[in-house]
mmCIF file of all heavy atoms in Angstrom:
data_model
loop_
_atom_site.group_PDB
_atom_site.id
_atom_site.type_symbol
_atom_site.label_atom_id
_atom_site.label_comp_id
_atom_site.label_asym_id
_atom_site.label_seq_id
_atom_site.Cartn_x
_atom_site.Cartn_y
_atom_site.Cartn_z
ATOM 1 N N LEU A 1 109.700 84.516 108.346
ATOM 2 C CA LEU A 1 110.137 85.047 107.063
ATOM 3 C C LEU A 1 111.120 86.176 107.354
ATOM 4 O O LEU A 1 110.734 87.337 107.472
ATOM 5 C CB LEU A 1 108.942 85.586 106.264
ATOM 6 C CG LEU A 1 107.841 84.578 105.943
ATOM 7 C CD1 LEU A 1 106.672 85.269 105.268
ATOM 8 C CD2 LEU A 1 108.378 83.471 105.062
ATOM 9 N N PRO A 2 112.398 85.847 107.509
ATOM 10 C CA PRO A 2 113.376 86.871 107.893
ATOM 11 C C PRO A 2 113.549 87.976 106.872
ATOM 12 O O PRO A 2 113.916 89.080 107.193
ATOM 13 C CB PRO A 2 114.674 86.059 108.061
ATOM 14 C CG PRO A 2 114.473 84.849 107.210
ATOM 15 C CD PRO A 2 113.015 84.529 107.292
ATOM 16 N N GLN A 3 113.256 87.663 105.621
ATOM 17 C CA GLN A 3 113.372 88.671 104.573
ATOM 18 C C GLN A 3 112.254 88.443 103.576
ATOM 19 O O GLN A 3 112.042 87.327 103.095
ATOM 20 C CB GLN A 3 114.737 88.596 103.887
ATOM 21 C CG GLN A 3 114.967 89.718 102.896
ATOM 22 C CD GLN A 3 116.383 89.708 102.357
ATOM 23 O OE1 GLN A 3 117.168 88.833 102.687
ATOM 24 N NE2 GLN A 3 116.721 90.681 101.541
ATOM 25 N N PHE A 4 111.522 89.509 103.285
ATOM 26 C CA PHE A 4 110.387 89.367 102.377
ATOM 27 C C PHE A 4 110.599 90.224 101.142
ATOM 28 O O PHE A 4 110.896 91.409 101.238
ATOM 29 C CB PHE A 4 109.095 89.763 103.070
ATOM 30 C CG PHE A 4 107.888 89.642 102.179
ATOM 31 C CD1 PHE A 4 107.408 88.390 101.836
ATOM 32 C CD2 PHE A 4 107.263 90.766 101.664
ATOM 33 C CE1 PHE A 4 106.303 88.262 100.995
ATOM 34 C CE2 PHE A 4 106.163 90.647 100.834
ATOM 35 C CZ PHE A 4 105.684 89.396 100.501
ATOM 36 N N ASP A 5 110.459 89.624 99.997
ATOM 37 C CA ASP A 5 110.601 90.314 98.733
ATOM 38 C C ASP A 5 109.200 90.620 98.195
ATOM 39 O O ASP A 5 108.432 89.718 97.878
ATOM 40 C CB ASP A 5 111.367 89.426 97.743
ATOM 41 C CG ASP A 5 111.601 90.139 96.414
ATOM 42 O OD1 ASP A 5 111.116 91.266 96.265
ATOM 43 O OD2 ASP A 5 112.268 89.549 95.548
ATOM 44 N N TRP A 6 108.870 91.919 98.103
ATOM 45 C CA TRP A 6 107.520 92.301 97.693
ATOM 46 C C TRP A 6 107.187 91.822 96.281
ATOM 47 O O TRP A 6 106.012 91.669 95.946
ATOM 48 C CB TRP A 6 107.375 93.825 97.779
ATOM 49 C CG TRP A 6 107.463 94.320 99.181
ATOM 50 C CD1 TRP A 6 108.562 94.815 99.814
ATOM 51 C CD2 TRP A 6 106.417 94.341 100.148
ATOM 52 N NE1 TRP A 6 108.260 95.142 101.110
ATOM 53 C CE2 TRP A 6 106.949 94.869 101.341
ATOM 54 C CE3 TRP A 6 105.068 93.967 100.130
ATOM 55 C CZ2 TRP A 6 106.201 95.025 102.493
ATOM 56 C CZ3 TRP A 6 104.319 94.137 101.285
ATOM 57 C CH2 TRP A 6 104.874 94.650 102.438
ATOM 58 N N SER A 7 108.215 91.586 95.476
ATOM 59 C CA SER A 7 107.950 91.142 94.103
ATOM 60 C C SER A 7 107.568 89.666 94.043
ATOM 61 O O SER A 7 107.093 89.187 93.017
ATOM 62 C CB SER A 7 109.184 91.393 93.221
ATOM 63 O OG SER A 7 110.275 90.609 93.668
ATOM 64 N N SER A 8 107.781 88.940 95.134
ATOM 65 C CA SER A 8 107.458 87.501 95.135
ATOM 66 C C SER A 8 106.352 87.194 96.132
ATOM 67 O O SER A 8 106.435 86.225 96.881
ATOM 68 C CB SER A 8 108.709 86.691 95.463
ATOM 69 O OG SER A 8 109.214 87.051 96.737
ATOM 70 N N ILE A 9 105.326 88.009 96.124
ATOM 71 C CA ILE A 9 104.250 87.828 97.097
ATOM 72 C C ILE A 9 103.480 86.531 96.854
ATOM 73 O O ILE A 9 102.871 85.967 97.768
ATOM 74 C CB ILE A 9 103.297 89.043 97.081
ATOM 75 C CG1 ILE A 9 102.400 89.018 98.334
ATOM 76 C CG2 ILE A 9 102.456 89.076 95.814
ATOM 77 C CD1 ILE A 9 101.637 90.286 98.555
ATOM 78 N N LEU A 10 103.550 86.025 95.624
ATOM 79 C CA LEU A 10 102.873 84.757 95.333
ATOM 80 C C LEU A 10 103.433 83.619 96.184
ATOM 81 O O LEU A 10 102.709 82.683 96.546
ATOM 82 C CB LEU A 10 102.993 84.412 93.850
ATOM 83 C CG LEU A 10 102.109 85.225 92.889
ATOM 84 C CD1 LEU A 10 102.383 84.822 91.457
ATOM 85 C CD2 LEU A 10 100.633 85.030 93.236
ATOM 86 N N SER A 11 104.720 83.703 96.508
ATOM 87 C CA SER A 11 105.306 82.666 97.358
ATOM 88 C C SER A 11 104.680 82.674 98.748
ATOM 89 O O SER A 11 104.543 81.624 99.380
ATOM 90 C CB SER A 11 106.821 82.855 97.460
ATOM 91 O OG SER A 11 107.134 84.078 98.101
ATOM 92 N N LEU A 12 104.293 83.843 99.229
ATOM 93 C CA LEU A 12 103.623 83.927 100.534
ATOM 94 C C LEU A 12 102.224 83.320 100.446
ATOM 95 O O LEU A 12 101.791 82.612 101.357
ATOM 96 C CB LEU A 12 103.562 85.378 100.994
ATOM 97 C CG LEU A 12 102.931 85.624 102.373
ATOM 98 C CD1 LEU A 12 103.615 84.792 103.449
ATOM 99 C CD2 LEU A 12 103.015 87.106 102.728
ATOM 100 N N PHE A 13 101.524 83.576 99.348
ATOM 101 C CA PHE A 13 100.225 82.939 99.143
ATOM 102 C C PHE A 13 100.362 81.414 99.173
ATOM 103 O O PHE A 13 99.534 80.705 99.749
ATOM 104 C CB PHE A 13 99.622 83.373 97.804
ATOM 105 C CG PHE A 13 98.924 84.700 97.832
ATOM 106 C CD1 PHE A 13 99.366 85.753 97.051
ATOM 107 C CD2 PHE A 13 97.815 84.900 98.640
ATOM 108 C CE1 PHE A 13 98.724 86.972 97.067
ATOM 109 C CE2 PHE A 13 97.152 86.114 98.656
ATOM 110 C CZ PHE A 13 97.613 87.156 97.866
ATOM 111 N N GLU A 14 101.415 80.929 98.552
ATOM 112 C CA GLU A 14 101.629 79.482 98.497
ATOM 113 C C GLU A 14 101.927 78.904 99.872
ATOM 114 O O GLU A 14 101.499 77.792 100.204
ATOM 115 C CB GLU A 14 102.757 79.179 97.517
ATOM 116 C CG GLU A 14 102.367 79.457 96.068
ATOM 117 C CD GLU A 14 103.554 79.452 95.129
ATOM 118 O OE1 GLU A 14 104.686 79.242 95.616
ATOM 119 O OE2 GLU A 14 103.356 79.672 93.917
ATOM 120 N N LEU A 15 102.670 79.653 100.700
ATOM 121 C CA LEU A 15 102.929 79.200 102.075
ATOM 122 C C LEU A 15 101.634 79.137 102.878
ATOM 123 O O LEU A 15 101.407 78.195 103.648
ATOM 124 C CB LEU A 15 103.925 80.145 102.758
ATOM 125 C CG LEU A 15 105.389 80.019 102.351
ATOM 126 C CD1 LEU A 15 106.206 81.138 103.000
ATOM 127 C CD2 LEU A 15 105.943 78.661 102.751
ATOM 128 N N ILE A 16 100.771 80.142 102.704
ATOM 129 C CA ILE A 16 99.485 80.143 103.398
ATOM 130 C C ILE A 16 98.645 78.953 102.947
ATOM 131 O O ILE A 16 98.010 78.269 103.757
ATOM 132 C CB ILE A 16 98.742 81.471 103.139
ATOM 133 C CG1 ILE A 16 99.491 82.633 103.792
ATOM 134 C CG2 ILE A 16 97.306 81.399 103.666
ATOM 135 C CD1 ILE A 16 98.955 83.999 103.438
ATOM 136 N N GLN A 17 98.662 78.690 101.649
ATOM 137 C CA GLN A 17 97.908 77.559 101.125
ATOM 138 C C GLN A 17 98.442 76.229 101.647
ATOM 139 O O GLN A 17 97.677 75.312 101.974
ATOM 140 C CB GLN A 17 97.954 77.585 99.602
ATOM 141 C CG GLN A 17 97.087 76.512 98.933
ATOM 142 C CD GLN A 17 97.084 76.681 97.424
ATOM 143 O OE1 GLN A 17 98.099 76.983 96.810
ATOM 144 N NE2 GLN A 17 95.915 76.493 96.819
ATOM 145 N N LYS A 18 99.747 76.120 101.790
ATOM 146 C CA LYS A 18 100.367 74.868 102.221
ATOM 147 C C LYS A 18 100.180 74.616 103.714
ATOM 148 O O LYS A 18 99.816 73.515 104.130
ATOM 149 C CB LYS A 18 101.850 74.883 101.879
ATOM 150 C CG LYS A 18 102.608 73.633 102.303
ATOM 151 C CD LYS A 18 104.075 73.699 101.894
ATOM 152 C CE LYS A 18 104.834 72.449 102.339
ATOM 153 N NZ LYS A 18 106.268 72.514 101.930
ATOM 154 N N TYR A 19 100.425 75.649 104.543
ATOM 155 C CA TYR A 19 100.445 75.436 105.991
ATOM 156 C C TYR A 19 99.152 75.825 106.700
ATOM 157 O O TYR A 19 98.950 75.456 107.853
ATOM 158 C CB TYR A 19 101.614 76.206 106.602
ATOM 159 C CG TYR A 19 102.956 75.661 106.200
ATOM 160 C CD1 TYR A 19 103.757 76.329 105.271
ATOM 161 C CD2 TYR A 19 103.437 74.467 106.722
ATOM 162 C CE1 TYR A 19 104.995 75.832 104.884
ATOM 163 C CE2 TYR A 19 104.670 73.950 106.343
ATOM 164 C CZ TYR A 19 105.443 74.639 105.430
ATOM 165 O OH TYR A 19 106.658 74.143 105.053
ATOM 166 N N ARG A 20 98.278 76.600 106.054
ATOM 167 C CA ARG A 20 97.014 77.021 106.658
ATOM 168 C C ARG A 20 97.230 77.486 108.099
ATOM 169 O O ARG A 20 96.791 76.838 109.053
ATOM 170 C CB ARG A 20 95.996 75.882 106.602
ATOM 171 C CG ARG A 20 95.698 75.445 105.182
ATOM 172 C CD ARG A 20 94.830 74.219 105.087
ATOM 173 N NE ARG A 20 94.549 73.906 103.707
ATOM 174 C CZ ARG A 20 93.370 74.142 103.112
ATOM 175 N NH1 ARG A 20 92.382 74.675 103.786
ATOM 176 N NH2 ARG A 20 93.194 73.839 101.840
ATOM 177 N N PRO A 21 97.925 78.600 108.286
ATOM 178 C CA PRO A 21 98.354 79.028 109.618
ATOM 179 C C PRO A 21 97.208 79.309 110.575
ATOM 180 O O PRO A 21 96.172 79.852 110.183
ATOM 181 C CB PRO A 21 99.155 80.302 109.339
ATOM 182 C CG PRO A 21 98.631 80.797 108.043
ATOM 183 C CD PRO A 21 98.303 79.577 107.250
ATOM 184 N N PHE A 22 97.429 78.905 111.827
ATOM 185 C CA PHE A 22 96.456 79.211 112.884
ATOM 186 C C PHE A 22 96.484 80.705 113.182
ATOM 187 O O PHE A 22 95.442 81.330 113.403
ATOM 188 C CB PHE A 22 96.789 78.419 114.152
ATOM 189 C CG PHE A 22 96.021 78.876 115.359
ATOM 190 C CD1 PHE A 22 94.669 78.574 115.503
ATOM 191 C CD2 PHE A 22 96.640 79.628 116.349
ATOM 192 C CE1 PHE A 22 93.958 79.014 116.604
ATOM 193 C CE2 PHE A 22 95.941 80.069 117.447
ATOM 194 C CZ PHE A 22 94.602 79.760 117.586
ATOM 195 N N SER A 23 97.673 81.283 113.217
ATOM 196 C CA SER A 23 97.819 82.710 113.503
ATOM 197 C C SER A 23 98.714 83.346 112.456
ATOM 198 O O SER A 23 99.754 82.795 112.088
ATOM 199 C CB SER A 23 98.426 82.905 114.900
ATOM 200 O OG SER A 23 98.679 84.279 115.148
ATOM 201 N N PHE A 24 98.289 84.508 111.969
ATOM 202 C CA PHE A 24 99.072 85.227 110.970
ATOM 203 C C PHE A 24 99.096 86.704 111.350
ATOM 204 O O PHE A 24 98.231 87.478 110.952
ATOM 205 C CB PHE A 24 98.461 85.042 109.586
ATOM 206 C CG PHE A 24 99.360 85.534 108.465
ATOM 207 C CD1 PHE A 24 100.153 84.652 107.754
ATOM 208 C CD2 PHE A 24 99.408 86.882 108.135
ATOM 209 C CE1 PHE A 24 100.978 85.102 106.726
ATOM 210 C CE2 PHE A 24 100.234 87.335 107.116
ATOM 211 C CZ PHE A 24 101.015 86.444 106.412
ATOM 212 N N PRO A 25 100.098 87.121 112.141
ATOM 213 C CA PRO A 25 100.239 88.551 112.464
ATOM 214 C C PRO A 25 101.096 89.238 111.407
ATOM 215 O O PRO A 25 102.130 88.707 110.997
ATOM 216 C CB PRO A 25 100.957 88.522 113.824
ATOM 217 C CG PRO A 25 101.754 87.258 113.796
ATOM 218 C CD PRO A 25 101.032 86.285 112.904
ATOM 219 N N ALA A 26 100.670 90.406 110.945
ATOM 220 C CA ALA A 26 101.417 91.110 109.901
ATOM 221 C C ALA A 26 101.191 92.612 110.029
ATOM 222 O O ALA A 26 100.203 93.059 110.607
ATOM 223 C CB ALA A 26 100.993 90.625 108.518
ATOM 224 N N VAL A 27 102.113 93.379 109.469
ATOM 225 C CA VAL A 27 101.972 94.832 109.468
ATOM 226 C C VAL A 27 101.041 95.251 108.341
ATOM 227 O O VAL A 27 100.795 94.494 107.389
ATOM 228 C CB VAL A 27 103.340 95.527 109.320
ATOM 229 C CG1 VAL A 27 104.217 95.253 110.531
ATOM 230 C CG2 VAL A 27 104.044 95.061 108.042
ATOM 231 N N SER A 28 100.537 96.471 108.429
ATOM 232 C CA SER A 28 99.531 96.951 107.480
ATOM 233 C C SER A 28 99.973 96.875 106.014
ATOM 234 O O SER A 28 99.178 96.455 105.158
ATOM 235 C CB SER A 28 99.123 98.382 107.836
ATOM 236 O OG SER A 28 98.557 98.430 109.122
ATOM 237 N N PRO A 29 101.209 97.286 105.668
ATOM 238 C CA PRO A 29 101.600 97.212 104.247
ATOM 239 C C PRO A 29 101.546 95.796 103.668
ATOM 240 O O PRO A 29 101.224 95.613 102.501
ATOM 241 C CB PRO A 29 103.041 97.751 104.258
ATOM 242 C CG PRO A 29 103.113 98.625 105.470
ATOM 243 C CD PRO A 29 102.235 97.947 106.483
ATOM 244 N N LEU A 30 101.847 94.798 104.511
ATOM 245 C CA LEU A 30 101.799 93.418 104.018
ATOM 246 C C LEU A 30 100.360 92.991 103.768
ATOM 247 O O LEU A 30 100.059 92.365 102.740
ATOM 248 C CB LEU A 30 102.468 92.478 105.015
ATOM 249 C CG LEU A 30 102.527 90.992 104.622
ATOM 250 C CD1 LEU A 30 103.095 90.819 103.224
ATOM 251 C CD2 LEU A 30 103.355 90.215 105.633
ATOM 252 N N TRP A 31 99.449 93.347 104.684
ATOM 253 C CA TRP A 31 98.033 93.032 104.461
ATOM 254 C C TRP A 31 97.517 93.736 103.210
ATOM 255 O O TRP A 31 96.753 93.173 102.425
ATOM 256 C CB TRP A 31 97.192 93.424 105.670
ATOM 257 C CG TRP A 31 97.250 92.460 106.810
ATOM 258 C CD1 TRP A 31 97.677 92.701 108.088
ATOM 259 C CD2 TRP A 31 96.866 91.074 106.792
ATOM 260 N NE1 TRP A 31 97.590 91.567 108.854
ATOM 261 C CE2 TRP A 31 97.095 90.550 108.081
ATOM 262 C CE3 TRP A 31 96.367 90.233 105.800
ATOM 263 C CZ2 TRP A 31 96.830 89.226 108.406
ATOM 264 C CZ3 TRP A 31 96.102 88.898 106.124
ATOM 265 C CH2 TRP A 31 96.317 88.419 107.405
ATOM 266 N N ALA A 32 97.954 94.975 103.020
ATOM 267 C CA ALA A 32 97.524 95.730 101.843
ATOM 268 C C ALA A 32 97.965 95.021 100.563
ATOM 269 O O ALA A 32 97.203 94.916 99.593
ATOM 270 C CB ALA A 32 98.092 97.149 101.890
#
């Protein structure tokens, strides 16, 4: 995800739902 728009976080939820990632590393603000 080269660029992430905080206002469209639902799209990230949808990617997780679609691909069910084996590994998901993220910084603290994104997890929050």
Side-chain angles (χ1 to χ4, degrees):
L1 301 175
Q3 186 173 3
F4 180 72
D5 183 357
W6 294 96
S7 64
S8 60
I9 195 168
L10 285 177
S11 64
L12 182 55
F13 278 118
E14 291 167 359
L15 284 173
I16 293 172
Q17 185 175 40
K18 179 178 179 180
Y19 292 106
R20 300 173 178 255
F22 168 74
S23 175
F24 191 98
V27 295
S28 299
L30 181 51
W31 281 120

